[in-house]
Amino acid sequence: MTTLLLDRRPATEVIAEASATTPRLVDPFGRAITYVRLSVTDRCNFRCVYCMAEKMTFLPHAKVLRLEELDRLCSIFVGLGVKKIRLTGGEPLVRRGVMNLVQSLSRRLRSHELDELTLTTNGSQLARYADELAACGVKRVNVSLDTLDAATFAAISRHGALSDVLAGVEAADRAGLKVKINAVAQKGITEDCAVSLIRWAHGRGFDLTFIEVMPLGDVEGAWSQRFMPLAELRANLSRHLSLLPTPYRSSGPARYWHVEETGGRVGFIAPMTHSFCESCNRVRIACSGRMYLCLGQEAAVDLGKVLRATDDDNEVAETIRVAVALKPKGHAFGASEASAPRGAARSISVTGG
Ligand code: SAM
């Protein structure tokens, strides 16, 4: 009211501006949904042991939305007030023609409808795409990298070469992209890799975040054999580095600590031992158009089917609004269940990490 009284512009203009900035997707718990993670493919050139089985069955091509369909879906979300889109996968940069989608979405950055377009990648294709991503207005990329030891890297990724990822990271840095490294904490591995990873990342000005491994997907080996609570990792790190808690927060669920020796920041995302769902602002969309309302729960709506059945974007938007009303309060795996957690049957490569 005060704004309307003090603002000398016509009321209609002020109201239009207010509704453009007011989030239009709000779930039953009052959380505004302004962030979409879009898996552009469920395929990946790696087979990380905690993410995928050695032999994977991927979606048939006919089920995968065409790039134009993904673009249309993104536009509908933007129309509903989504401000940030993260492309992920699978490996987003192995999807053929993916840069056409990035280019198309970049016009939403230029028009300021989107605040941010970014991606999560294993880094192996970044040497090829970093410059083009930067030219499209991408400012930051998250690169997944669990270790700097080439043999350990090959064992975790099964199909990956550390040198490709390091070349990709270098290219991204050179192109002016802000790089954040994400590492999955794994018992028996991360204890030995973490300090060198932190020193390496901070030496290059990159933030680094560790994440607890989640019980997702039909992977070989027991989750409990891999799981390392981040409190344990932090205690371990404290024997080598001085970690001081900081109030710094990014827009995500990480808690950050300052590393005195490097002057850098290390983040910890602990979905298994801490709940941060109260601030969840996101939905995840598989490359089939299936929208998952929570990473750790089955609640989903097939937007791909609706999208292909109608040319009317309003109809799709209405389906999204109804679906957001089904967003669960939080993921099911919690501290009390950590010894026998219940995850989702699908891999994070389907939902989009
Ligand atoms: N291929 C891209 C990449 O490597 O970043 C994007 C997709 S990948 C599924 C996204 C992130 O999910 C990666 O950082 C990966 O390590 C992480 N991830 C995969 N499976 C996980 C699990 N079970 N628990 C925790 N993080 C997982």
Side-chain angles (χ1 to χ4, degrees), residues 161-213:
L162 177 67
S163 53
D164 292 344
V165 177
L166 295 181
V169 167
E170 248 177 62
D173 195 28
R174 260 198 321 271
L177 299 172
K178 193 165 163 47
V179 174
K180 182 163 86 91
I181 304 295
N182 284 335
V184 174
Q186 297 155 76
K187 187 153 74 185
I189 294 178
T190 310
E191 299 91 326
D192 295 334
C193 304
V195 174
S196 54
L197 204 54
I198 291 173
R199 287 190 185 279
W200 171 82
H202 289 178
R204 282 155 185 77
F206 307 154
D207 274 351
L208 167 76
T209 295
F210 291 101
I211 179 162
E212 282 175 347
V213 67

Side-chain angles (χ1 to χ4, degrees), residues 229-246:
L230 289 187
E232 194 178 310
L233 174 62
R234 214 166 35 240
N236 195 299
L237 285 173
S238 297
R239 291 203 276 277
H240 309 275
L241 297 166
S242 322
L243 300 181
L244 304 169
T246 78

Side-chain angles (χ1 to χ4, degrees), residues 44-46 48 50-52 87-92 120-123 142-146 182-184 211-216 223 271 347-349 352-353:
C44 188
N45 51 339
F46 292 2
C48 296
Y50 46 76
C51 185
M52 289 190 176
L87 304 182
T88 177
E91 171 48 41
T120 297
T121 171
N122 63 27
N142 286 0
V143 179
S144 306
L145 177 59
D146 299 337
N182 284 335
V184 174
I211 179 162
E212 282 175 347
V213 67
M214 294 174 275
L216 297 172
W223 165 86
S347 163
I348 197 169
S349 63

